[in-house]
C-alpha cells in the first residue's frame, strides 16, 4: 500500500518546469533512490514530500492525506528528513544533548532517552565524540549524529538527502549496513544520492529526474 | 525604452527611506514612507509580488511583535485584557506597527539596491567616495542573503520535523527551544563568513589595496531628475516629521 503518493505533481519556477506529471507511489516498506544531475530538482522533490515546498500542480499524499494539510510537527512524527547540510539540524551543544533533544521536549522519561541514546551511540560509532562539542565534529560525524537523532524519533519513513557526503569508505560501508537494518525493521527509505557505488550496494529501485520527468532506471 | 538608473540613485533612495524609517516615531509617517518606498520599488523595477509574498510570511511575526511591544510597554490605555493581564495597549500597538514598517523598509531598501549588479553597486560606493571594502561588504551581504534565508528556513523546518508540538509546550520550554534555533544559524553564518574570507584571501584580496577599473558610472539626465526628486520628497518627509507628526 502506498504511503507517499504523487498525483500529477508538477513544479515550476517562473514558468519553467523542474518536473511535471509525476505519478509515483512510495510504499511504507519501500527503498527507493532518486538520482539526477545537479539542479535537476532532487532536493526540491524531497522537500515537497515533507510539505516544505508546495507543488505548483497536483497533490502529494502522506498516508492518504494531503501533505500540506499536516502541521510540520505531525509530519516530523512520521517522516525523518536528513538535510544535505547537517549543520542545520544540530541544536544542542553536546552529542548526548542532541540525541535526546526532541524526546526531552516531548516529555519522555530521561531513563528511556539515555537507553535509546546508548543504542544510537554504538550503532553510529559516536562514543569517541561524546566529550567533543557537537559543532566541532567532522562533517561525517555530524552526518551520523543527525541521522542518529532522526532515528531517536522512530520515524516510519526516512528521506536522506546525500547522506554519504563527507563519509570515508569505512563509514559509507557502515551507513550502508545501518540503512539495510533500518529497512529490514520496516522503515521506508528514499535515498537521494550521486554516489552510484553506494547505490549499487543497496536493494533499491532507482529513479532518475531528467528533463522534467522521473523515470525508473533500476539496475544503473 | 526605459533607462536603467545609476546604482548611486538607488543607494540614495535606500538611504533616504531607511533614514526616515529610523527617525520616524509616528506610524502614519512610517506608513507614508513605506508607500513612497513601494512607489520607488516600481520605478526601480523591483519585483513587488516577491515583497508581498515575503510580507505574508512576516505577518505572524509582525502581529507577535505588536503584542510583545504591548507586553513590555506599560504606557497607554489597554485595548485587550485577559483577566488582569494587559495583552495590547494603544501605545504598544503604535510602536509595534512602527517597528513593523521599519522592518519592511529595510527589506525594501535591500531589494532596491539588489536591482543593480554587485559590481555596479560596489562601483557606485567607490565613486561616492566610500572605501571599496564597504561596497564589497554590502554587495556580499545582498548576494548571500538568499542563501542565509534558505539555511534559516532549513533550520526551522528541521526543528519542526523533530515532531514537537511547540504550542503545547510551557512558555519557558518554548523560549528555550526557540533559543536553540540560533545555535545552528549563528554557526552556519560564521562558517560561511570564514569560508568566504579564506576564498577572498586565496585570490589575493587584501584590505586597502589599490584597485583600478575600466568601467565608470555616469549620471544621465534621468539620474539627476531621480536624485533631485528623491532628495525633495525625503526633505519634505523629514520636515513633516518635525512639524506634523
Amino acid at each position: 500500500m502506498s504511503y507517499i503518493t504523487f498525483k500529477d505533481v508538477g513544479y515550476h519556477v517562473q514558468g519553467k518546469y523542474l518536473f511535471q506529471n509525476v505519478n509515483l507511489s512510495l510504499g511504507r516498506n519501500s527503498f527507493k533512490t532518486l538520482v539526477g544531475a545537479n539542479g535537476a530538482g532532487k532536493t526540491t522533490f524531497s522537500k515537497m514530500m515533507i510539505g516544505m515546498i508546495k507543488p505548483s500542480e497536483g497533490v502529494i499524499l502522506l498516508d492518504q492525506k494531503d501533505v500540506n494539510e499536516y502541521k510540520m510537527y505531525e509530519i516530523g512524527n512520521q517522516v525523518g528528513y536528513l538535510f544535505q547540510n547537517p549543520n542545520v539540524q544540530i541544536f544542542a551543544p553536546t552529542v548526548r544533548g542532541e540525541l535526546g533533544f526532541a524526546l526531552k521536549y516531548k516529555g519522555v522519561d530521561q531513563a528511556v532517552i539515555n537507553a535509546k541514546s546508548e543504542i544510537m551511540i554504538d550503532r553510529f560509532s559516536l562514543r569517541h565524540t561524546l566529550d567533543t562539542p557537537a559543532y566541532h565534529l567532522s562533517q561525517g560525524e555530524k552526518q551520523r549524529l543527525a541521522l542518529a537523532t532522526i532515528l531517536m524519533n522512530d520515524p516510519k519513513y526516512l528521506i536522506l538527502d546525500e547522506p554519504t557526503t563527507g563519509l570515508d569508505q569505512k563509514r559509507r560501508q557502515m551507513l550502508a549496513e545501518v540503512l539495510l537494518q533500518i529497512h529490514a525493521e520496516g522503515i521506508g527509505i528514499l535515498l537521494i544520492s550521486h554516489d552510484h557505488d553506494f547505490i549499487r550496494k543497496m536493494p533499491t529501485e532507482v529513479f532518475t529526474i531528467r528533463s522534467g520527468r522521473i523515470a525508473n532506471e533500476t539496475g544503473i | 525604452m526605459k533607462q536603467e538608473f545609476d546604482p548611486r540613485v538607488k543607494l540614495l533612495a535606500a538611504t533616504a527611506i531607511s533614514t526616515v524609517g529610523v527617525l520616524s516615531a509616528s506610524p502614519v509617517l512610517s506608513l507614508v514612507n513605506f508607500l513612497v518606498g513601494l512607489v520607488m520599488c516600481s520605478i526601480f523595477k523591483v519585483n513587488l509580488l516577491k515583497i508581498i509574498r515575503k510580507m505574508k510570511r512576516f505577518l505572524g511575526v509582525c502581529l507577535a511583535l505588536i503584542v510583545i511591544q504591548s507586553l513590555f510597554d506599560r504606557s497607554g490605555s489597554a485595548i485587550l485584557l485577559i483577566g488582569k493581564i494587559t495583552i495590547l495597549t494603544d501605545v504598544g500597538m503604535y510602536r509595534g506597527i512602527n517597528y513593523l514598517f521599519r522592518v519592511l523598509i529595510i527589506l525594501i531598501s535591500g531589494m532596491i539596491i539588489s536591482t543593480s549588479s554587485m559590481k555596479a553597486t560596489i562601483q557606485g560606493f567607490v565613486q561616492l567616495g566610500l572605501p571599496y571594502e564597504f561596497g564589497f561588504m554590502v554587495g556580499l551581504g545582498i548576494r548571500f542573503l538568499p542563501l542565509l534565508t534558505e539555511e534559516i528556513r532549513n533550520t526551522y523546518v528541521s526543528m519542526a520535523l523533530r515532531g514537537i508540538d511547540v504550542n503545547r509546550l510551557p512558555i519557558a520550554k518554548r523560549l528555550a527551544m526557540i533559543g536553540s534555533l540560533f545555535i545552528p544559524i549563528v554557526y552556519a553564518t560564521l562558517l560561511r563568513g570564514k569560508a568566504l574570507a579564506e576564498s577572498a584571501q586565496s585570490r589575493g584580496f587584501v584590505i586597502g589595496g589599490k584597485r583600478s577599473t575600466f568601467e565608470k558610472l555616469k549620471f544621465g539626465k534621468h539620474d539627476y531628475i531621480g536624485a533631485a526628486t528623491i532628495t525633495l520628497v525625503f526633505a519634505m518627509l523629514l520636515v513633516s516629521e518635525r512639524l506634523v507628526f
Side-chain angles (χ1 to χ4, degrees):
Chain A
M1 188 180 159
S2 179
Y3 183 55
I4 300 174
T5 314
F6 283 71
K7 281 189 177 172
D8 301 318
V9 172
Y11 184 75
H12 58 75
V13 183
Q14 292 170 345
K16 194 186 167 204
Y17 274 94
L18 213 50
F19 41 82
Q20 63 186 128
N21 297 327
V22 176
N23 287 288
L24 195 64
S25 290
L26 306 171
R28 183 166 277 184
N29 303 325
S30 65
F31 192 158
K32 315 251 180 185
T33 298
L34 190 62
V35 296
N38 287 335
K42 301 187 296 296
T43 298
T44 304
F45 183 86
S46 66
K47 283 183 175 174
M48 288 200 318
M49 291 166 72
I50 51 167
M52 197 174 163
I53 296 175
K54 284 185 184 172
S56 312
E57 294 161 0
V59 66
I60 299 165
L61 304 176
L62 172 65
D63 210 5
Q64 313 305 315
K65 186 176 152 187
D66 186 341
V67 74
N68 290 304
E69 287 176 18
Y70 286 98
K71 289 185 176 142
M72 197 58 92
Y73 80 89
E74 291 173 328
I75 296 173
N77 277 327
Q78 299 189 56
V79 180
Y81 189 101
L82 181 74
F83 284 84
Q84 218 167 350
N85 174 7
N87 287 324
V88 302
Q89 50 192 124
I90 294 177
F91 299 102
T94 64
V95 170
R96 277 191 205 278
E98 179 59 22
L99 286 169
F101 184 85
L103 298 188
K104 189 183 85 182
Y105 281 105
K106 285 180 180 176
V108 175
D109 189 64
Q110 192 58 46
V112 176
I113 296 176
N114 291 345
K116 281 186 104 170
S117 299
E118 286 303 312
I119 294 169
M120 291 302 164
I121 286 166
D122 288 332
R123 197 172 195 184
F124 288 92
S125 298
L126 290 167
R127 197 157 293 282
H128 69 286
T129 67
L130 293 179
D131 296 324
T132 312
Y135 277 99
H136 290 177
L137 302 180
S138 70
Q139 175 81 4
E141 286 164 345
K142 282 179 191 167
Q143 197 78 299
R144 274 145 53 206
L145 174 61
L147 186 53
T149 307
I150 289 169
L151 291 176
M152 289 284 288
N153 230 7
D154 297 324
K156 293 172 187 156
Y157 198 89
L158 265 183
I159 301 170
L160 310 169
D161 194 356
E162 305 282 1
T164 54
T165 308
L167 299 188
D168 57 30
Q169 196 57 40
K170 188 181 160 198
R171 306 293 179 200
R172 279 166 51 179
Q173 181 57 39
M174 204 183 79
L175 177 69
E177 284 164 17
V178 170
L179 292 187
L180 290 174
Q181 278 172 26
I182 292 169
H183 186 229
E185 286 165 16
I187 297 171
I189 297 173
L190 175 72
L191 178 69
I192 295 163
S193 182
H194 282 299
D195 192 338
H196 287 237
D197 286 341
F198 185 78
I199 297 166
R200 278 192 202 100
K201 289 178 191 158
M202 296 287 140
T204 176
E205 219 176 324
V206 180
F207 290 85
T208 305
I209 297 189
R210 195 186 298 129
S211 310
R213 303 277 168 192
I214 293 186
N216 188 335
E217 298 199 3
T218 304
I220 56 166
Chain B
M1 195 183 99
K2 282 184 185 175
Q3 280 171 302
E4 175 72 24
F5 279 93
D6 188 288
R8 286 169 292 179
V9 179
K10 295 174 187 174
L11 288 169
L12 175 69
T15 310
I17 54 171
S18 308
T19 307
V20 176
V22 171
L23 292 179
S24 167
S26 151
V28 181
L29 178 62
S30 296
L31 171 66
V32 175
N33 188 37
F34 173 65
L35 293 175
V36 172
L38 286 183
V39 173
M40 284 183 176
C41 283
S42 72
I43 293 170
F44 294 130
K45 297 177 201 162
V46 173
N47 188 344
L48 279 171
L49 276 176
K50 212 171 161 184
I51 291 187
I52 292 165
R53 253 182 267 135
K54 278 182 197 270
M55 277 163 62
K56 261 166 77 181
R57 269 190 240 158
F58 272 115
L59 198 65
V61 179
C62 296
L63 291 174
L65 279 173
I66 293 172
V67 174
I68 289 167
Q69 287 275 352
S70 288
L71 282 173
F72 288 99
D73 193 331
R74 311 313 300 164
S75 55
S77 321
I79 299 176
L80 183 64
L81 286 158
I82 295 181
K84 285 182 180 175
I85 302 167
T86 305
I87 300 295
L88 198 63
T89 65
D90 51 358
V91 174
M93 192 175 76
Y94 288 143
R95 290 193 179 156
I97 291 171
N98 215 18
Y99 186 78
L100 160 67
F101 281 124
R102 276 184 194 155
V103 173
L104 292 175
I105 288 294
I106 291 167
L107 191 71
I108 284 179
S109 302
M111 293 190 91
I112 288 175
I113 297 173
S114 68
T115 53
S116 290
S117 69
M118 184 174 159
K119 198 176 158 195
T121 306
I122 295 172
Q123 187 61 24
F125 274 107
V126 172
Q127 286 185 230
L128 281 170
L130 291 162
Y132 177 88
E133 287 78 13
F134 187 78
F136 187 72
M137 249 163 35
V138 174
L140 276 183
I142 292 167
R143 182 173 279 191
F144 278 89
L145 204 58
L147 273 178
L148 189 64
T149 311
E150 177 68 16
E151 231 153 56
I152 291 172
R153 196 157 171 251
N154 283 347
T155 306
Y156 177 77
V157 169
S158 152
M159 181 172 269
L161 284 175
R162 296 285 173 99
I164 306 159
D165 183 0
V166 182
N167 293 326
R168 283 193 176 181
L169 290 177
I171 191 84
K173 274 194 171 181
R174 210 182 292 184
L175 288 173
M177 207 176 143
I178 292 167
S180 306
L181 263 179
F182 290 104
I183 298 176
I185 292 170
V186 171
Y187 184 75
T189 311
L190 290 175
L191 267 190
R192 199 171 289 284
K194 190 176 168 226
L196 203 62
E198 283 167 357
S199 157
Q201 280 176 345
S202 70
R203 292 177 190 195
F205 184 91
V206 285
I207 292 171
K210 277 193 176 177
R211 287 171 181 84
S212 55
T213 174
F214 282 118
E215 289 174 32
K216 296 275 182 212
L217 300 172
K218 275 185 188 163
F219 251 43
K221 208 185 267 180
H222 63 291
D223 292 312
Y224 283 108
I225 295 169
T229 313
I230 290 165
T231 310
L232 189 69
V233 169
F234 286 96
M236 283 164 63
L237 284 177
L238 287 175
V239 170
S240 68
E241 199 268 335
R242 294 273 162 232
L243 300 180
V244 184
F245 298 104

